[in-house]
Amino acid sequence: MKLDLANPDWRTTLPPSRSVASDAPVAACAFSRDGKTVAFALGDGRVRLLPADVKQAADGAPEPAHQGAVLSLIADPVGDGFISGGDDGRLLRLGPDGAATEIAHHKGRWIDKLAAHRSNGTFAASVGKMALVVDKAGVREFGPHASTVAAIDFSKDGSRIAAAHYGGVTVWSIGQVTLPPRRLAWAGSHVALKWSTDGKFIATGTQENDIHVWRIAQSSDMRMAGYPAKVKSLSWSADARWLYTSSQPVFTAWPFAGKGPEGKPPLQFGDEGAGLLTVVAAHPVAEFVAGGYDSGELQLGDIKTRRSVVLKMADGSAASALAWSPDGFRLAAGNDKGDLLVVDLRR
Amino acid sequence: MAEPQVPVTVLTGYLGAGKTTLLNRILSEQHGKKYAVIVNEFGELGIDNDLVVNADEEVFEMNNGCICCTVRGDLIRIIEGLMKRKEKFDGILVETTGLADPGPVAQTFFTDDDVKARTRLDAIVTVVDAKHFLGQLEQGDEAEEQVAFADVILLNKTDLVSADDLAKVEARIKSINPYARLHKTQKSQIELGAILDKGAFDLKRILEFEPDFLEHGHDHDHGEEVASLSFTAERPVDPDKFQKWMGALLQLRGGDILRSKGILAIDGAPKRYVFQGVHMMMDADWGTPWKPGETRASKLVFIGRNLDAENLKRGFEDCLK
């Protein structure tokens, strides 16, 4: 992986990119598993597909896939298309050409959170108080939880899912053997959740602007306070040494190597002045992190050298979605105004 | 980011008071506006042009050590989701269940930064069943609290009671909350201007909304019941003392104080200091300037339960210069 942020080119020119104005807020974006297509979930019901290659010609806007807004989107874990969820209660599988098949329809409910396991082909969706798990065998429901499920993620080995809700997190075994769920309790409402890339920790962002992290093996937990806003975006580095968090003016990474972050301050780096980070996404392979600000600025950071470079200038529209290509050479970003951006980072 | 905040109207009222009828009236009127409607069950709603969202009332305690600090988690989530839609709304209507406490709904708009950035609480509209209200008061705190929280009250189904009984109900409502605008209605028939876009939580409009706000209030001693208390003063208020007293009061008694409002003449300040609160939450700002020669009178209003008039009066007076 070669992204040298010391290269002076980063300081003088923005990297090659494709920018498309869609006019509808972007709820999520994702690259397909084969890395060839990038998709944006839009507030007008459309899922806009663009070639990952920023020079390749792109199709125009498609017909809406959902009625209302598309609220969630991930790469299809078993194909080269995508999975989308909407406020029309529909869960769709989209081919690389955008052709949709309905997986589930929960009338009057929203499908607002999706997560997939990277290799076993299973994905999960939140529908009200329930979590749906979809695999070859079909759709299974887990729950109900104490409240509407606010976030969902898979364990590293794919054998469990964790659902965030009011009062904590519930961990379900999703294998064929039915085991009772495990409750990780912490008072208040949990609004974001990410299971660490090594499977050892579950981190949540809370309604009270804190982060809560549970150690799975020891059943111990910790709280990180002091954020000026809710932390709605969390991202673990590929090597699980760092937990990146939004809602700070610079990249903020809690150290999880060795004994963990207790008693240590987070590592902070990058250029202040762009506002607060609204989305962060750790690089899928290497030690980089991308961050989008409420001002619209996009930055790329390198935790080893603590350098950061600007990928997109502030434009007044908050960054709302970020995604890396599987190889880590391209980055997709969307904002509240509906600008779709794909950046090619090879220089 | 400077998008205008979408006004949110909360419709409360005991079971069967006429909330859904009112909601249908709002939606079926030819106003050319587009509303998002957050309801708890699918009733006979679903006017083509509007969006109906089905919600479970999820009341969350904030994990911040304050027991009366509760919010509607479902509202936070739904408002965030609505803002992801391309189409924008002229307003959001929230219908609560008949047994709901309006506190958490109102507090959501004081507490959650994302909700505050995108929306503003316009008014709490309570529909009261003229025939059954007095009986409902006996069945629990809900009917009383819904009236206590209200900015606008529809005293509905007036055709089902005698003039005498209606007067009794009206007097009882006034004893709980004399500051809300009261409209007598049948079948929830009301001009929409009377309930929408009232700016009842807009600090700039506190005076405009309540022209009799500065008239002399009436003190009651209802003990356990919800009642209102008001205090006036013509001596200027010491800002430090007031802040200390009010802060401690809301901290200790925030559970019992349902709503508070005030216009203060701060010693030496050219403008009115206005504030309003729901339980422990409070918003405050500078209001309009005092005119030359105008009587600089301060006024404070509390609506709540177990209010100790003597104690509050003394507390307020200690804040005066």
Side-chain angles (χ1 to χ4, degrees):
Chain A
M1 184 68 225
K2 186 96 177 96
L3 290 179
D4 179 12
L5 303 198
N7 181 337
D9 283 357
W10 286 107
R11 303 275 159 200
T12 52
T13 54
L14 294 175
S17 66
R18 180 206 304 276
S19 181
V20 174
S22 81
D23 204 27
V26 182
C29 58
F31 281 84
S32 61
R33 220 169 47 130
D34 64 4
K36 287 185 180 157
T37 315
V38 52
F40 295 86
L42 304 180
D44 60 2
R46 294 173 214 271
V47 175
R48 184 78 190 262
L49 304 180
L50 297 173
D53 181 346
V54 300
K55 298 201 181 74
Q56 194 181 322
D59 292 339
E63 287 302 304
H66 292 269
Q67 290 165 331
V70 190
L71 296 174
S72 50
L73 179 85
I74 52 170
D76 185 344
V78 294
D80 294 322
F82 300 90
I83 306 292
S84 67
D87 65 10
D88 56 357
R90 293 165 76 219
L91 180 63
L92 300 180
R93 169 166 269 136
L94 304 167
D97 56 352
T101 25
E102 188 176 287
I103 299 168
H105 187 182
H106 292 258
K107 203 169 179 295
R109 294 282 165 199
W110 292 5
I111 300 196
D112 48 3
K113 292 289 159 14
L114 286 168
H117 186 253
R118 53 179 75 188
S119 58
N120 75 2
T122 309
F123 70 91
S126 70
V127 185
K129 291 187 165 96
M130 305 301 289
L132 306 183
V133 170
V134 185
D135 58 16
K136 283 187 298 268
V139 182
R140 283 176 294 151
E141 294 194 12
F142 293 84
H145 298 86
S147 72
T148 298
V149 174
I152 204 162
D153 202 7
F154 277 86
S155 63
K156 186 190 181 197
D157 66 1
S159 68
R160 286 165 292 166
I161 56 163
H165 48 75
Y166 179 58
V169 171
T170 301
V171 177
W172 300 90
S173 288
I174 57 168
Q176 293 313 313
V177 185
T178 312
L179 296 169
R182 184 167 158 201
R183 315 262 180 215
L184 305 174
W186 184 254
S189 171
H190 298 257
V191 297
L193 179 149
K194 280 283 158 60
W195 206 316
S196 68
T197 38
D198 62 1
K200 291 181 182 163
F201 300 93
I202 289 174
T204 65
T206 74
Q207 175 69 28
E208 292 79 21
N209 304 352
D210 296 335
I211 292 173
H212 210 81
V213 182
W214 284 269
R215 266 194 180 80
I216 306 299
Q218 286 94 338
S219 282
S220 65
D221 56 329
M222 59 197 101
R223 183 176 77 109
M224 287 84 148
Y227 286 83
K230 275 182 271 184
V231 181
K232 289 194 265 186
S233 181
L234 299 163
S235 188
W236 292 88
S237 64
D239 58 11
R241 290 165 57 90
W242 303 101
L243 170 65
Y244 295 102
T245 64
S246 66
S247 308
Q248 283 285 312
V250 291
F251 287 117
T252 299
W254 292 94
F256 276 82
K259 289 193 174 127
E262 280 106 331
K264 295 178 202 158
L267 181 63
Q268 294 199 292
F269 64 100
D271 293 327
E272 262 187 81
L276 280 186
L277 283 162
T278 47
V279 269
V280 288
H283 191 277
V285 188
E287 64 279 9
F288 302 101
V289 60
Y293 284 85
D294 54 6
S295 63
E297 184 169 309
L298 281 186
Q299 286 187 19
L300 174 63
D302 177 346
I303 199 164
K304 266 196 191 153
T305 62
R306 297 183 199 173
R307 283 174 190 278
S308 74
V309 295
V310 173
L311 298 179
K312 185 191 145 222
M313 309 296 272
D315 57 7
S317 178
S320 57
L322 270 182
W324 285 97
S325 62
D327 64 5
F329 283 114
R330 292 189 178 89
L331 186 68
N335 65 14
D336 283 345
K337 206 170 70 190
D339 300 322
L340 320 180
L341 183 74
V342 186
V343 186
D344 189 336
L345 298 167
R346 293 168 299 180
R347 334 194 64 152
Chain B
M1 251 166 272
E3 278 181 43
Q5 294 165 298
V6 181
V8 180
T9 304
V10 177
L11 303 179
T12 77
Y14 212 73
L15 307 165
K19 281 188 310 267
T20 307
T21 312
L22 177 62
L23 198 50
N24 272 317
R25 276 192 190 285
I26 297 172
L27 297 180
S28 55
E29 200 136 309
Q30 295 299 320
H31 42 53
K33 296 207 166 155
K34 192 168 174 67
Y35 292 101
V37 189
I38 301 172
V39 296
N40 285 278
E41 300 116 83
F42 282 120
E44 284 157 46
L45 283 173
I47 314 299
D48 286 349
N49 194 37
D50 299 288
L51 174 74
V52 179
V53 183
N54 190 19
D56 288 328
E57 283 182 354
E58 296 183 338
V59 176
F60 292 172
E61 275 173 34
M62 294 284 287
N63 184 19
N64 59 5
C66 160
I67 24 168
C68 62
C69 190
T70 48
V71 295
R72 281 272 303 271
D74 58 312
L75 267 187
I76 296 173
R77 186 179 58 84
I78 288 168
I79 286 171
E80 191 181 347
L82 287 177
M83 296 305 150
K84 288 180 182 160
R85 292 175 78 106
K86 185 186 176 185
E87 47 178 355
K88 299 300 169 213
F89 300 100
D90 297 298
I92 298 173
L93 308 171
V94 180
E95 183 194 23
T96 68
T97 57
L99 292 174
D101 165 10
V105 186
Q107 291 186 132
T108 305
F109 294 86
F110 282 76
T111 309
D112 191 88
D113 291 335
D114 299 325
V115 169
K116 276 197 284 192
R118 258 59 193 286
T119 60
R120 61 176 177 83
L121 181 54
D122 185 68
I124 296 175
V125 176
T126 300
V127 188
V128 174
D129 181 338
K131 191 169 167 70
H132 296 111
F133 181 65
L134 296 177
Q136 288 158 358
L137 290 177
E138 308 298 317
Q139 289 164 27
D141 296 339
E142 293 87 0
E144 194 176 30
E145 287 185 353
Q146 288 163 356
V147 166
F149 270 103
D151 300 294
V152 179
I153 293 171
L154 264 62
L155 178 50
N156 196 30
K157 306 194 178 180
T158 54
D159 50 331
L160 303 184
V161 291
S162 68
D164 264 9
D165 287 347
L166 186 62
K168 270 185 210 149
V169 173
E170 190 175 349
R172 189 67 186 87
I173 290 172
K174 290 253 155 115
S175 80
I176 298 168
N177 181 351
Y179 302 101
R181 283 288 175 79
L182 188 141
H183 303 275
K184 291 177 198 154
T185 56
Q186 296 173 10
K187 300 196 172 72
S188 301
Q189 279 189 52
I190 181 103
E191 220 198 312
L192 295 192
I195 50 173
L196 299 178
D197 202 22
K198 303 311 289 177
F201 285 82
D202 185 347
L203 290 169
K204 290 191 187 68
R205 287 168 69 174
I206 282 189
L207 282 170
E208 180 190 328
F209 185 60
E210 290 170 300
D212 55 356
F213 189 70
L214 283 178
E215 283 168 24
H216 206 68
H218 19 140
D219 293 3
H220 300 271
D221 185 18
H222 288 290
E224 287 294 297
E225 292 170 356
V226 176
S228 71
L229 288 175
S230 64
F231 306 100
T232 52
E234 294 194 4
R235 271 154 60 206
V237 173
D238 180 314
D240 294 337
K241 284 184 185 165
F242 181 79
Q243 205 152 19
K244 221 169 166 182
W245 173 66
M246 195 68 186
L249 180 67
L250 294 183
Q251 195 77 35
L252 285 172
R253 304 293 316 284
D256 281 344
I257 296 171
L258 305 179
R259 286 191 72 169
S260 56
K261 283 189 190 191
I263 296 167
L264 301 180
I266 300 285
D267 191 31
K271 288 179 174 177
R272 291 167 169 81
Y273 186 73
V274 290
F275 76 87
Q276 67 160 319
V278 170
H279 287 306
M280 281 179 77
M281 326 254 170
M282 212 173 91
D283 267 347
D285 201 357
W286 293 103
T288 49
W290 299 100
K291 291 191 195 99
E294 189 176 6
T295 312
R296 294 171 56 122
S298 299
K299 176 138 173 174
L300 203 54
V301 171
F302 296 105
I303 299 176
R305 199 180 290 283
N306 306 318
L307 299 181
D308 180 342
E310 266 313 300
N311 196 324
L312 289 171
K313 186 164 190 267
R314 218 176 313 119
F316 180 48
E317 280 172 359
D318 285 345
C319 302
L320 304 177
K321 283 268 178 180

